[in-house]
C-alpha cells in the first residue's frame, strides 16, 4: 500500500494524484448477437489456476460478495455473483509482491465451429493501478494470442460495478473446432480484478454503436471546453462530434451523425467505417442554445442505410446544459469521484479553466465538499489569469474557511474577498484548495466527469509547478450580486418512495428542496440504467412520477442526485 501512495505522488504530473472515479463504460454488445457459449462459475471445477507470482498468489472463485479491497465494489454487482465469480487481489499481497496469475477455463469450447465472426464478452469489476489485464485465446491449447483490456484507464480509476467488456476474437477463434480461453493478471502493489458471466457470441453483420459524445466551445484558451451551466452572457456556438464504432463484421460506407433540437438540425458528411473500428463524425453546423433561461437539449444518433442489428445502441445520451443568470460550471452534475491531498500536511489547489466571452464580475465560487472531509480542514478559493499550461497569474481569493465535521456531501458558497472583473477574450483558472490538515483525509472535493486535456490543473503548496488533472472538480464560478460564505446545500435529504413494491408507476416525494437540480436514475441489479429523469430549479415539496409499467419484476436501485448529492432507495417491481 505504501508504494502505491509514493508512486501517486511521483505521478502527479500526469494528473493522477489522489483521485477516484468511475472509468468510461466500455462497449457493450447487446440485442441480436447470439450467445454460443456461457459460463458463470457455477462449477468452479471447470476452472484451474497457475501463477509465477512472488509470493504465490492465485485467483479465487468465491460467492462472498464483499471481498473486493476497494469499498465501492462491495457488494459485488455481477448478475450471477451468487453462483460464484473469480477475483485476484493484488492489494492483499503487500507492496513488495508481484503477481502473474492465470485463470483458465478447462473445458474446450466447441461452439465456434462454422462461426467465422465471434466475440468474447464478460463482466468485470476492476480498479486500475500500474497493472496489465488481458484475455488470452488459443485454438490448440499451446499457442496463445493476448488481448489486453482496460488499456485506456488511468491509474486509481474504477470500472463500473459491474461493467461489460467485449473482445473480438474472430482471428483466433473463428471457424475453430476447439477454443481455449484464460484470464491473465500481472501487477505489483496494484488493486484487483474480478470477472464473471463469460459468453461467446456470434458477431452481427451490421451494428453501429454510439460510443462517445464530444462537444465544446473554443475560446481564448485554444481548447474545446464543454460547459454544463452557462450564464446568458457566455452562450456561444458549440461544436458537436460523435465517436462511432462499427461493431459488425461488414464495413459500412454511408455512416453519418445526426443532431436535432428545437429549431435546429444538422448532419455530418457521410463516411466509411471499417468493421471493428471507430471513427469520429462532426456535425456540419455548430449548435447555439437559445439564450432564454432553462434546460437545453440536443438529441444525437448515428445511422446508415444498412439495417442495424441493435438500433437501440445507435443513440447517444442527449447533450444537455442549462442557461443560467449567474452560474458557470463545467462539472457533469453527478459526483463520480474525489480529489484530496492524501499527504495531508501539504496544502493543495485544484480547479478548472474557463473562457470569457463577455465581461463578468466574479463574486463567489461554489465547491462540493465531500462528507468524508476531516473536521477542521481549511477551504479557500482563488482566481488566476490563465496564460498557458505553466503560467497562471494570481488575481485574488477568498478568506479561509474552517470546515466542521460533515455527515454528507455539502455545497459551499465561498465569497471572494474582493469581486474580480473577468474580461472578454481572456481565460481564467478558478481553484478551490486547503492549507493542509494532519488528520486523514484532509479536505476532499467532489469530481464529476473527465476533463478535456490541459483544461483542469492542480498544484501543491510545497511545489512550484502546476500539473494537468484528468477529472473535473466540482468548483463553479458565480456572478451573483450579493453573496456570503455559507453552506448552501447541507441538510439530510428527506425523500420518500411510494408505493413500494410498485407495478405501473411509483412516486418520489422530495421535501423542502431549494432551487435544486435533480437527476433520477433507476438501474437494475446488473448496473444497467433503465430509467432516467432530469429536473431543474425544483423548489419546496415536489412529487415526481416514475413510470415502471415496462420494467420486469425484480429489485431495482433508485439513485437520486440533488445538486450532485446522492441518495439511494431500493425499489421492488411486482
Amino acid at each position: 500500500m505504501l508504494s502505491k501512495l509514493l508512486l501517486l505522488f511521483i505521478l502527479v504530473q500526469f494528473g493522477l494524484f489522489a483521485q477516484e472515479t468511475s472509468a468510461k463504460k466500455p462497449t457493450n454488445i447487446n440485442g441480436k448477437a447470439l450467445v454460443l457459449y456461457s459460463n458463470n462459475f457455477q462449477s468452479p471445477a471447470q476452472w484451474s489456476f497457475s501463477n509465477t507470482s512472488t509470493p504465490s498468489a492465485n485467483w479465487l472463485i468465491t460467492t462472498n460478495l464483499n471481498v473486493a479491497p476497494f469499498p465501492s465494489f462491495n457488494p459485488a454487482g455481477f448478475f450471477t455473483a451468487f453462483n460464484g465469480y473469480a477475483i485476484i487481489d493484488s492489494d492483499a499481497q503487500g507492496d513488495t509482491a508481484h503477481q502473474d496469475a492465470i485463470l483458465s477455463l478447462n473445458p474446450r469450447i466447441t461452439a465456434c465451429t462454422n462461426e467465422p465472426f465471434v466475440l468474447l464478452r464478460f463482466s468485470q469489476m476492476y480498479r486500475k493501478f500500474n497493472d496489465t489485464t488481458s484475455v488470452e485465446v488459443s485454438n490448440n491449447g499451446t499457442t496463445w494470442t493476448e488481448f489486453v483490456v482496460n488499456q485506456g484507464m488511468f491509474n486509481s480509476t474504477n470500472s463500473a460495478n459491474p461493467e461489460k467488456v467485449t473482445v473480438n476474437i474472430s482471428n483466433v477463434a473463428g471457424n475453430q473446432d476447439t477454443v481455449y480461453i484464460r484470464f491473465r493478471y500481472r501487477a505489483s502493489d496494484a488493486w484487483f480484478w474480478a470477472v464473471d458471466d463469460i459468453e461467446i457470441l456470434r458477431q452481427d453483420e451490421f451494428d453501429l454503436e454510439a460510443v462517445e459524445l464530444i462537444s465544446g466551445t473554443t475560446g481564448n484558451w485554444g481548447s474545446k471546453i464543454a460547459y454544463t451551466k452557462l450564464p446568458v452572457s457566455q452562450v456561444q456556438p458549440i461544436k458537436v462530434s460523435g465517436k462511432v464504432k462499427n461493431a459488425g463484421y461488414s464495413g459500412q460506407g454511408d455512416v453519418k451523425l445526426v443532431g436535432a433540437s428545437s429549431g435546429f438540425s444538422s448532419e455530418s458528411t457521410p463516411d466509411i467505417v471499417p468493421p471493428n473500428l471507430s471513427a469520429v463524425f462532426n456535425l456540419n453546423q455548430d449548435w447555439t442554445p437559445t439564450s432564454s433561461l432553462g434546460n437545453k437539449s440536443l438529441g444525437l444518433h448515428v445511422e446508415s442505410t444498412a439495417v442495424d442489428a441493435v438500433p437501440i445502441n445507435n443513440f447517444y445520451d442527449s447533450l444537455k446544459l442549462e442557461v443560467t443568470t449567474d452560474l458557470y460550471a463545467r462539472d457533469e452534475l453527478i459526483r463520480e469521484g474525489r480529489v484530496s491531498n492524501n499527504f495531508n500536511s501539504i496544502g493543495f489547489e485544484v480547479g478548472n479553466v474557463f473562457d470569457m466571452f463577455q465581461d463578468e464580475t466574479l463574486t463567489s465560487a461554489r465547491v462540493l465538499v465531500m462528507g468524508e472531509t476531516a473536521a477542521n480542514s481549511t477551504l479557500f478559493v482563488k482566481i488566476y489569469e490563465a496564460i498557458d499550461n505553466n503560467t497562471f497569474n494570481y488575481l485574488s481569493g477568498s478568506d479561509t474557511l474552517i470546515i466542521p465535521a460533515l455527515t454528507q456531501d455539502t455545497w459551499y458558497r465561498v465569497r471572494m474577498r474582493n469581486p474580480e472583473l473577468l474580461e472578454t477574450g481572456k481565460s481564467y483558472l478558478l481553484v478551490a484548495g486547503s492549507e493542509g490538515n494532519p488528520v486523514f483525509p484532509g479536505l476532499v472535493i467532489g469530481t464529476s466527469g473527465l476533463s478535456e486535456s490541459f483544461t483542469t490543473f492542480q498544484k501543491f503548496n510545497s511545489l512550484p509547478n502546476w500539473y494537468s488533472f484528468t477529472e473535473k472538480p466540482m468548483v463553479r464560478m458565480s456572478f451573483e450580486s450579493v453573496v456570503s460564505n455559507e453552506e448552501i446545500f447541507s441538510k439530510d435529504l428527506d425523500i420518500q418512495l411510494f408505493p413500494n413494491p410498485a407495478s405501473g408507476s411509483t412516486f418520489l416525494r422530495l421535501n423542502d428542496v431549494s432551487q435544486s437540480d435533480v437527476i433520477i436514475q433507476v438501474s437494475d441489479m446488473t448496473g444497467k440504467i433503465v430509467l432516467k429523469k432530469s429536473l431543474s430549479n425544483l423548489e419546496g415539496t415536489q412529487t415526481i412520477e416514475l413510470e415502471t409499467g415496462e420494467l420486469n419484476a425484480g429489485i431495482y436501485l433508485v439513485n437520486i442526485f440533488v445538486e450532485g448529492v446522492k441518495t439511494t432507495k431500493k425499489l421492488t417491481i411486482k
Side-chain angles (χ1 to χ4, degrees):
M1 181 70 74
L2 179 61
S3 66
K4 283 204 284 286
L5 293 176
L6 292 175
L7 190 54
L8 274 172
F9 189 74
I10 294 169
L11 292 176
V12 65
Q13 59 185 308
F14 299 107
L16 305 178
F17 181 84
Q19 59 179 306
E20 167 217 326
T21 183
S22 292
K24 187 176 294 295
K25 201 168 186 175
T27 301
N28 176 14
I29 310 269
N30 287 310
K32 293 185 179 180
L34 179 68
V35 177
L36 304 173
Y37 171 84
S38 64
N39 190 297
N40 62 10
F41 292 96
Q42 187 171 12
S43 301
Q46 295 181 338
W47 296 86
S48 62
F49 315 99
S50 62
N51 77 90
T52 55
S53 306
T54 308
S56 179
N58 271 324
W59 289 76
L60 169 71
I61 296 177
T62 180
T63 56
N64 186 339
L65 304 186
N66 296 291
V67 297
F70 203 77
S72 61
F73 292 98
N74 295 320
F78 294 126
F79 185 66
T80 62
F82 55 89
N83 281 336
Y85 62 97
I87 183 170
I88 177 74
D89 185 349
S90 175
D91 184 65
Q93 305 304 312
D95 56 9
T96 61
H98 304 277
Q99 295 83 46
D100 187 350
I102 294 175
L103 170 71
S104 300
L105 178 62
N106 293 328
R108 63 182 184 177
I109 298 171
T110 59
C112 298
T113 303
N114 300 321
E115 296 287 350
F117 305 103
V118 289
L119 308 169
L120 170 66
R121 181 172 69 183
F122 61 93
S123 294
Q124 71 168 1
M125 302 188 308
Y126 173 58
R127 182 165 170 83
K128 171 74 175 177
F129 195 87
N130 289 352
D131 53 14
T132 301
T133 54
S134 60
V135 178
E136 297 182 341
V137 182
S138 174
N139 51 38
N140 57 21
T142 303
T143 305
W144 296 87
T145 300
E146 181 179 24
F147 299 87
V148 178
V149 296
N150 300 311
Q151 291 187 89
M153 291 180 64
F154 293 107
N155 276 346
S156 301
T157 59
N158 298 342
S159 74
N161 177 16
E163 176 172 271
K164 287 193 179 291
V165 178
T166 301
V167 181
N168 192 315
I169 59 172
S170 300
N171 63 328
V172 183
N175 281 328
Q176 298 299 312
D177 294 333
T178 58
V179 174
Y180 304 86
I181 64 169
R182 64 190 191 186
F183 295 85
R184 188 173 185 179
Y185 183 72
R186 285 163 285 184
S188 297
D189 187 31
W191 286 102
F192 81 104
W193 190 28
V195 297
D196 197 4
D197 300 320
I198 291 94
E199 296 175 320
I200 302 293
L201 307 170
R202 175 188 296 163
Q203 186 180 18
D204 293 308
E205 181 176 7
F206 299 113
D207 182 17
L208 295 176
E209 293 182 353
V211 177
E212 182 183 2
L213 185 61
I214 308 162
S215 66
T217 301
T218 303
N220 174 70
W221 190 245
S223 299
K224 186 162 59 178
I225 299 176
Y227 301 94
T228 53
K229 290 182 181 290
L230 276 172
V232 173
S233 62
Q234 307 305 316
V235 173
Q236 293 289 309
I238 298 172
K239 296 186 179 299
V240 181
S241 306
K243 185 176 182 180
V244 180
K245 179 178 180 180
N246 183 357
Y249 62 78
S250 289
Q252 298 200 45
D254 55 355
V255 179
K256 62 182 179 181
L257 177 69
V258 179
S261 183
S262 177
F264 173 86
S265 63
S266 182
E267 299 180 350
S268 67
T269 302
D271 205 350
I272 298 170
V273 184
N276 305 307
L277 295 179
S278 299
V280 175
F281 290 80
N282 306 311
L283 290 185
N284 290 326
Q285 293 177 276
D286 294 344
W287 175 51
T288 304
T290 59
S291 58
S292 58
L293 298 179
N295 290 327
K296 315 296 175 180
S297 178
L298 177 66
L300 294 129
H301 70 274
V302 60
E303 65 180 43
S304 74
T305 56
V307 178
D308 199 276
V310 195
I312 194 172
N313 65 13
N314 293 2
F315 291 84
Y316 300 86
D317 286 340
S318 296
L319 173 57
K320 295 181 179 180
L321 57 85
E322 181 186 4
V323 176
T324 70
T325 55
D326 50 38
L327 201 57
Y328 204 7
R330 287 182 50 196
D331 61 84
E332 296 178 12
L333 309 182
I334 296 176
R335 189 196 70 76
E336 298 173 339
R338 63 194 288 281
V339 55
S340 66
N341 188 357
N342 286 338
F343 299 93
N344 300 292
S345 61
I346 306 172
F348 77 107
E349 304 173 15
V350 65
N352 302 308
V353 170
F354 294 80
D355 281 317
M356 297 303 298
F357 300 97
Q358 288 189 32
D359 286 3
E360 281 284 7
T361 300
L362 180 69
T363 57
S364 66
R366 299 191 182 185
V367 183
L368 184 64
V369 178
M370 291 184 60
E372 65 196 78
T373 292
N376 299 316
S377 293
T378 56
L379 169 66
F380 58 76
V381 297
K382 295 179 182 179
I383 186 73
Y384 297 83
E385 183 179 355
I387 306 301
D388 57 44
N389 293 342
N390 299 306
T391 310
F392 301 95
N393 296 333
Y394 174 77
L395 297 175
S396 61
S398 70
D399 293 330
T400 298
L401 307 183
I402 304 298
I403 305 299
L406 300 177
T407 60
Q408 67 169 64
D409 296 354
T410 300
W411 278 102
Y412 273 83
R413 177 191 285 123
V414 185
R415 180 175 60 86
M416 302 299 293
R417 197 177 298 114
N418 297 298
E420 185 68 32
L421 176 65
L422 308 183
E423 300 179 41
T424 304
K426 292 186 176 182
S427 303
Y428 297 88
L429 175 68
L430 177 69
V431 302
S434 174
E435 296 167 347
N437 188 334
V439 179
F440 182 84
L443 175 69
V444 186
I445 296 172
T447 64
S448 178
L450 292 174
S451 180
E452 296 86 353
S453 295
F454 293 98
T455 64
T456 297
F457 293 88
Q458 186 175 32
K459 182 181 183 298
F460 301 94
N461 292 357
S462 61
L463 301 174
N465 297 325
W466 289 91
Y467 303 100
S468 179
F469 195 68
T470 59
E471 287 290 300
K472 288 183 279 194
M474 301 182 81
V475 179
R476 303 171 176 179
M477 286 186 173
S478 179
F479 309 133
E480 55 195 332
S481 58
V482 179
V483 298
S484 59
N485 293 322
E486 61 177 325
E487 298 177 1
I488 56 175
F489 188 84
S490 60
K491 62 190 173 201
D492 292 335
L493 299 177
D494 183 6
I495 300 174
Q496 288 89 44
L497 181 65
F498 63 92
N500 189 8
S503 52
S505 63
T506 189
F507 295 86
L508 272 175
R509 178 175 293 146
L510 284 69
N511 295 307
D512 195 21
V513 293
S514 176
Q515 294 184 331
S516 298
D517 293 338
V518 177
I519 297 175
I520 303 165
Q521 294 178 344
V522 181
S523 58
D524 61 23
M525 297 310 290
T526 71
K528 178 182 178 183
I529 296 174
V530 296
L531 191 156
K532 183 175 180 179
K533 275 194 173 186
S534 299
L535 307 102
S536 293
N537 295 319
L538 296 188
E539 187 78 29
T541 297
Q542 300 284 334
T543 301
I544 303 162
E545 181 178 8
L546 303 178
E547 296 180 358
T548 58
E550 295 186 3
L551 299 182
N552 296 326
I555 304 296
Y556 295 81
L557 295 179
V558 183
N559 293 314
I560 308 105
F561 300 87
V562 181
E563 290 296 327
V565 179
K566 178 180 176 182
T567 299
T568 300
K569 301 283 187 181
K570 185 177 290 186
L571 172 65
T572 301
I573 301 297
K574 297 185 290 187

